């Protein structure tokens, strides 16, 4: 039966033109191939000489930037290699892995570090260029996202390759296992996490070389919290000060289970459910944590959407105001121009027209009047309508001919000159007015953009604070559960030692029990202060109470933040609705595609659904059918929020009840069993 171990470190990252400085790929290669660390350099698809490989990376980067200014230059792997393998075997397994995933069509190089300070930690730094050596197309597809694959599938194109970091790690694990089997090693690796593998052991946290270097110098490194996008990692609470101390405690706890089957199949009953009170309690709190976190993400998504809708409505309002201002400015310029040029136009209109044109106009007017009088004498009927059509056609042709006759030359010249003068006058009057409107719009737009940026930043800060409070609450609840059961275990051990002292009075037994008592006191020693204000007393039971009390405090902080954010969300939605109604536009949908309107007969049903939601009662099926998507979303959100809070309250009550039960002697806990 082979020994199954967790896969050692395997990480993947990239070097891009926008995320890194120029020539970052070349500089990284120079760093990983330094003499004091690199013992072996491998390369395929590029020169195997280190200096030539650096020049090759520079040329490749310049060639890629000529076609695209935002491009992925190369990818990086850091692969931890097994100590059981010989150096030649480590070189071989890395090279065969790169040939396998790249199919011999990509350029890559690897620097092996297994000497001096890295003798106990052999690993390889790999750089690869995900471009086909012949066609220049992607081979692995690290830069291909889900949108590219979806678009290709919808349009019937050839689906591009796409490999994620997890895929590369799994491929390395499978390749390493096959290599170990083929070379006679009775060791296999599993790339999955403890949770996915069904192990109840607690994983350790990566320490890094800097932590050990500080430890050797006698410096106590203190863990700090880290921001990961919308998530705050509370290392100061989890580590209890330092990662080294945290990992030591985890290893001591896991050492109790050495040689035992720790899979959930044997830890739990055949039904897959926890079999002990401790397991049930931990499982319940983990499920409550998951529900609360999912509800928090959903609420924050609605906060961001409401803020975007309010900002979009305010920008539309500003655009409408700008259009009105431009219209008013042009109208004012038109009035000024008209007042200035009206006398000139009256003078031009008074100028005589051409004599031939005037005579033709008078003759045509006389003919039209005579034919109209003759048409009146005809009786009503088809003959009269036919005659009217004929007269109209003749008049149209005559007037077309008259309009084509030349006007007076002086009048035509005066009209052309006055048109040009009028246009210049309008531009002269309109330019300062429009420039003033543009300047005012620029100032107001900058103010609005700055205010929007501040509101987005404040929302992000509040969301981070909310996530931080939730993380602290979950960690304190988990530590409280852990300390309460630790107190239970210490009490059980103390009882067993007391019973041993009462039964056996010989010197060997007394010494053995004394050693056990010393170990028990060491286990119950005072922990370090965690996260500043949380002081942990020596007694685990008291520590559990402090942690659970702190979790309630964090829950109150999170509840206050959520109430404020919900109120702000309602204000933003109200602002968007009011502005949209004022502009006589359809308000932007809060979820889903834009609405195409509702039939008139649904107005009463929608109104009844809104009144039912405002009253606080649950919507019926008919009301849900008539309710808008926005109202359904808000009702669902409110229901899930109430459910999540009720779950947390129930678990808090259960913890208090169980904590009281453990302190009531044999009849109150598992000791009685």
């Amino acid at each position: 039966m082979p020994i199954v171990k967790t896969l050692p470190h395997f990480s993947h990252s990239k070097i891009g033109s926008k995320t890194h400085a120029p020539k970052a790929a070349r500089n990284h290669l120079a760093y990983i191939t330094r003499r004091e660390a690199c013992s072996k350099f491998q390369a395929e698809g590029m020169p195997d000489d280190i200096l030539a490989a650096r020049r090759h990376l520079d040329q490749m980067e310049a060639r890629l930037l000529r076609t695209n200014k935002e491009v992925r230059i190369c990818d990086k792997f850091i692969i931890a290699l097994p100590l059981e393998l010989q150096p030649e075997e480590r070189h071989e397994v890395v090279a065969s892995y790169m040939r396998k995933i790249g199919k011999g069509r990509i350029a890559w190089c690897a620097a092996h570090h297994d000497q001096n300070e890295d003798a106990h930690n052999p690993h390889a730094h790999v750089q690869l260029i995900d471009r086909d050596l012949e066609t220049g197309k992607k081979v692995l597809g690290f830069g291909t996202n889900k949108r590219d694959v979806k678009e290709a599938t919808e349009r019937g194109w050839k689906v591009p390759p796409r490999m994620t970091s997890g895929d590369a790690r799994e491929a390395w694990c499978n390749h390493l296992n096959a290599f170990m089997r083929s070379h006679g090693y009775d060791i296999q690796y599993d790339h999955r996490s403890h949770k996915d593998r069904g192990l109840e052991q607690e994983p350790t946290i990566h320490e890094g070389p800097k932590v050990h270097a500080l430890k050797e110098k006698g410096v106590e490194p203190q863990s700090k919290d880290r921001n990961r996008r919308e998530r705050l990692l509370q290392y100061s609470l989890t580590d209890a000060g330092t990662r080294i101390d945290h990992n030591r405690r985890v290893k001591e706890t896991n050492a109790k289970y050495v040689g035992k089957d720790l899979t959930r199949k044997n830890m739990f009953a055949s039904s897959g459910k926890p079999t002990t009170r401790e397991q049930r309690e931990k499982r319940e709190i983990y499920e409550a944590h998951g529900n609360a976190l999912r509800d928090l993400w959903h609420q924050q998504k609605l906060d961001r959407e409401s803020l975007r809708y309010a900002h979009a409505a305010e920008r539309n309002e500003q655009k409408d105001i700008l259009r009105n201002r431009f219209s008013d400015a042009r109208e004012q310029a038109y009035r000024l121009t008209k007042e200035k040029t009206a006398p000139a136009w009256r003078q031009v209109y008074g100028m005589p027209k051409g004599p031939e044109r005037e005579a033709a106009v008078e003759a045509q007017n006389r003919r039209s009047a005579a034919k109209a009088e003759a048409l009146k004498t005809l009786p009503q009927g088809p003959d009269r309508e036919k005659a009217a059509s004929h007269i109209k056609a003749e008049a149209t042709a005559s007037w077309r001919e008259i309009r084509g006759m030349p006007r007076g030359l002086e009048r035509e010249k005066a009209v052309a000159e006055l048109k040009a003068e009028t246009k210049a006058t309008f531009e002269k009057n309109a330019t300062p007015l429009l420039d003033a409107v543009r300047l005012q719009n620029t100032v107001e737009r900058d103010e609005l953009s700055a205010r929007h940026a501040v509101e987005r930043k404040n929302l992000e800060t509040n969301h981070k604070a909310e996530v931080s409070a939730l993380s602290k609450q979950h960690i304190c609840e988990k530590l409280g559960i852990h300390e309460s059961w630790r107190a239970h275990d210490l009490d059980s051990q103390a009882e067993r030692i007391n019973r041993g002292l009462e039964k056996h009075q010989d010197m060997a037994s007394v010494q053995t029990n004394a050693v056990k008592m010393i170990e028990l006191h060491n286990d119950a020693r005072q922990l370090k202060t965690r996260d500043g204000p949380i002081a942990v007393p020596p007694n685990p039971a008291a520590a559990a109470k402090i942690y659970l009390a702190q979790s309630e405090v964090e829950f109150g902080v999170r509840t206050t933040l959520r109430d404020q954010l919900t109120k702000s969300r309602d204000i933003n939605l109200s602002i968007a609705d009011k502005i949209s109604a004022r502009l006589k536009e359809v308000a932007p949908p809060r979820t889903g595609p834009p609405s195409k309107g509702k039939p008139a007969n649904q107005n009463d049903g929608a109104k009844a659904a809104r009144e039912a939601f405002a009253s606080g009662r649950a919507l019926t099926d008919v009301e849900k059918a008539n309710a808008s998507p926005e109202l359904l979303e808000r009702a669902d959100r409110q229901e899930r929020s109430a459910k999540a809070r009720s779950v947390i309250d129930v678990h808090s009550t259960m913890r208090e009840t169980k904590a009281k039960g453990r302190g009531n002697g044999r009849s109150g806990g598992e000791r009685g069993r």
Side-chain angles (χ1 to χ4, degrees):
M1 188 70 180
I3 301 174
V4 180
K5 296 183 177 181
T6 302
L7 183 69
H9 180 78
F10 182 99
S11 65
H12 167 239
S13 59
K14 70 170 183 176
I15 295 179
S17 60
K18 292 295 184 181
T19 57
H20 292 75
K23 297 186 178 181
R26 173 190 183 278
N27 296 335
H28 179 72
L29 180 60
Y31 173 73
I32 64 176
T33 56
R34 61 192 187 277
R35 292 183 179 179
E36 62 272 16
C38 181
S39 61
K40 175 69 175 178
F41 180 73
Q42 298 174 287
E44 286 188 7
M46 65 172 64
D48 55 2
D49 179 71
I50 297 177
L51 295 178
R54 296 180 193 174
R55 291 193 293 270
H56 177 81
L57 287 177
D58 285 341
Q59 296 170 3
M60 175 63 70
E61 181 175 354
R63 186 162 58 251
L64 291 174
L65 290 176
R66 280 196 295 269
T67 59
N68 189 359
K69 295 300 181 182
E70 186 174 355
V71 65
R72 181 188 291 247
I73 305 299
C74 67
D75 292 87
K76 302 183 298 181
F77 291 154
I78 300 179
I79 306 176
L81 301 172
L83 281 168
E84 293 81 5
L85 296 179
Q86 298 299 320
E88 295 78 9
E89 293 175 336
R90 297 181 194 133
H91 306 161
E92 181 183 353
V93 69
V94 172
S96 58
Y97 170 68
M98 295 306 300
R99 295 190 196 103
K100 181 178 179 181
I101 64 172
K103 304 173 185 177
R105 296 159 51 192
I106 62 174
W108 62 272
C109 61
H112 290 265
H113 294 189
D114 55 4
Q115 61 183 5
N116 299 332
E117 295 181 356
D118 293 323
H120 68 287
N121 180 30
H123 61 279
H125 293 265
V126 181
Q127 275 188 262
L128 63 97
I129 302 173
D130 188 16
R131 299 284 176 175
D132 192 294
L133 295 174
E134 296 181 358
T135 63
K137 296 182 179 181
K138 295 178 182 179
V139 177
L140 300 177
F142 283 122
T144 306
N145 53 34
K146 294 181 179 180
R147 182 180 57 189
D148 299 334
V149 177
K150 182 179 179 181
E151 183 180 8
T153 304
E154 292 176 350
R155 296 178 179 269
W157 299 341
K158 182 179 179 181
V159 179
R162 181 173 186 266
M163 176 178 281
T164 63
S165 300
D167 297 336
R169 189 170 186 268
E170 183 177 359
W172 163 249
C173 182
N174 296 333
H175 179 77
L176 180 61
N177 288 336
F179 185 87
M180 299 289 283
R181 286 194 301 268
S182 62
H183 286 69
Y185 291 98
D186 196 21
I187 299 175
Q188 294 290 285
Y189 295 96
D190 197 327
H191 68 281
R192 297 174 298 170
S193 64
H194 284 181
K195 180 179 179 180
D196 294 337
R197 293 168 62 186
L199 297 180
E200 292 296 327
Q201 286 179 301
E202 184 179 357
T204 57
I205 299 176
H206 179 68
E207 298 173 0
K210 294 182 180 179
V211 174
H212 290 279
L214 293 175
K215 190 73 173 178
E216 292 176 358
K217 294 179 182 179
V219 180
E220 286 289 339
Q222 299 296 320
S223 295
K224 299 180 181 179
D225 299 339
R226 294 288 186 268
N227 284 319
R228 294 292 184 269
R229 296 181 181 178
E230 297 294 331
R231 180 185 176 197
L232 179 67
L233 302 179
Q234 299 285 340
Y235 285 128
S236 58
L237 281 175
T238 306
D239 298 354
T242 67
R243 298 189 180 189
I244 295 178
D245 296 337
H246 172 77
N247 288 343
R248 176 181 51 77
R249 290 193 299 271
V250 171
K251 291 176 182 178
E252 290 176 357
T253 303
N254 293 341
K256 301 177 182 179
Y257 304 104
V258 173
K260 298 181 181 179
D261 190 352
L262 300 178
T263 58
R264 297 177 187 270
K265 180 178 179 180
N266 291 326
M267 292 287 287
F268 296 163
S270 58
S271 60
K273 297 181 179 180
T275 56
T276 64
R277 280 177 50 191
E278 180 180 3
Q279 293 171 359
R280 287 194 297 271
E281 194 168 347
K282 289 182 178 180
R283 174 60 60 86
E284 290 169 357
I285 198 66
Y286 288 158
E287 291 177 354
H289 291 173
N291 294 333
L293 189 59
R294 283 189 292 271
D295 181 71
L296 177 65
W297 289 340
H298 178 72
Q299 296 288 340
Q300 291 185 352
K301 179 181 178 181
L302 295 179
D303 294 338
R304 291 189 292 269
E305 289 179 353
S306 65
L307 187 63
R308 282 198 295 268
Y309 297 146
H311 287 177
E314 290 178 348
R315 287 192 295 269
N316 291 335
E317 184 182 28
Q318 189 185 47
K319 291 179 181 178
D320 185 72
I321 294 174
L322 177 62
R323 286 193 295 267
N324 295 334
R325 286 174 180 170
F326 274 120
S327 178
D328 295 341
R330 292 190 183 97
E331 186 177 353
Q332 184 179 357
Y334 174 76
R335 288 197 302 268
L336 294 174
T337 304
K338 186 177 180 180
E339 292 174 359
K340 187 174 182 179
T341 59
W345 279 109
R346 283 195 294 269
Q347 184 179 358
V348 170
Y349 289 147
M351 294 177 65
K353 300 182 179 180
E356 296 179 359
R357 181 185 175 100
E358 292 291 337
V361 169
E362 292 178 1
Q364 178 61 31
N365 287 334
R366 287 195 298 270
R367 286 196 300 270
S368 298
K371 290 182 179 181
E373 291 297 332
L375 187 63
K376 291 180 180 179
T377 60
L378 295 176
Q380 295 288 342
D383 294 337
R384 181 172 179 174
E385 293 179 359
K386 185 176 180 180
S389 300
H390 181 69
I391 293 172
K392 184 178 180 181
E394 289 182 351
T396 301
S398 299
W399 282 114
R400 187 180 296 113
E401 183 179 357
I402 292 172
R403 282 194 294 269
M405 297 175 66
R407 296 173 179 266
L409 296 179
E410 294 182 0
R411 190 174 188 275
E412 292 289 342
K413 184 178 179 180
V415 168
E417 292 177 354
L418 188 56
K419 283 183 177 179
E421 182 182 356
T422 302
K423 183 177 180 181
T425 304
F426 177 80
E427 291 179 354
K428 182 179 179 180
N429 293 331
T431 298
L433 297 175
L434 295 178
D435 289 343
V437 171
R438 292 191 184 96
L439 179 61
Q440 183 181 5
N441 175 67
T442 301
V443 174
E444 293 181 357
R445 185 181 62 230
D446 293 342
E447 292 178 353
L448 183 64
S449 300
R451 182 167 62 82
H452 287 178
V454 171
E455 291 178 355
R456 288 193 297 269
K457 187 65 177 178
N458 291 338
L459 181 63
E460 182 181 0
T461 302
N462 290 333
H463 280 179
K464 287 184 178 180
E466 189 178 20
V467 172
S468 174
L470 181 62
S471 301
K472 289 181 180 180
Q473 175 193 344
H474 290 178
I475 292 173
C476 288
E477 288 177 348
K478 187 166 63 174
L479 291 175
I481 295 295
H482 174 75
E483 291 296 328
S484 62
W485 283 103
R486 181 167 170 262
H488 177 272
D489 294 340
L490 291 175
D491 291 342
S492 300
Q493 294 178 25
E495 286 187 4
R496 286 195 296 269
I497 293 173
N498 290 333
R499 287 196 299 269
L501 290 174
E502 293 174 358
K503 292 181 181 179
H504 306 284
Q505 298 298 330
D506 57 280
M507 185 60 65
S509 299
V510 172
Q511 291 178 350
T512 301
N513 288 302
V515 170
K516 292 181 180 180
M517 186 64 70
I518 292 173
E519 293 177 351
L520 185 63
H521 282 293
N522 289 334
D523 291 339
R525 65 186 179 278
Q526 182 176 359
L527 299 177
K528 296 181 180 180
T529 301
R530 303 186 183 184
D531 198 34
I534 306 179
V536 181
N539 188 351
K545 292 181 179 179
I546 290 178
Y547 279 128
L548 294 177
Q550 184 64 27
S551 70
E552 296 297 332
V553 172
E554 298 298 338
F555 176 76
V557 172
R558 185 169 64 87
T559 303
T560 303
L561 282 172
R562 175 44 44 197
D563 293 339
Q564 296 175 357
L565 291 171
T566 303
K567 184 178 180 181
S568 300
R569 183 200 308 165
D570 295 337
I571 293 174
N572 290 331
L573 294 176
S574 176
I575 291 173
D577 292 339
K578 289 180 180 179
I579 293 176
S580 299
R582 186 163 58 250
L583 297 177
K584 297 181 180 180
E585 297 176 352
V586 178
R590 303 190 180 103
T591 54
S595 175
K596 296 183 179 180
K598 295 182 179 180
N601 57 3
Q602 289 187 0
N603 292 335
D604 296 338
K607 182 178 180 181
R610 288 194 299 270
E611 293 176 352
F613 177 76
S615 65
R617 66 176 178 83
L619 301 181
T620 63
D621 294 340
V622 177
E623 292 170 343
K624 289 182 179 179
N626 295 326
S628 63
E630 298 86 355
L631 187 62
L632 291 175
E633 182 70 24
R634 295 176 65 183
D636 182 62
R637 181 191 68 217
Q638 185 175 359
E639 182 179 356
R640 285 193 294 174
S641 178
K643 185 182 297 183
R645 292 183 182 181
S646 63
V647 169
I648 294 176
D649 294 340
V650 169
H651 287 309
S652 300
T653 305
M654 292 173 62
R655 286 196 303 273
E656 294 176 359
T657 304
K658 292 176 180 179
K660 293 178 181 179
R662 295 192 198 104
N664 292 334
R666 295 182 179 272
S667 61
E670 287 191 20
R671 303 179 198 170
R673 297 186 182 87

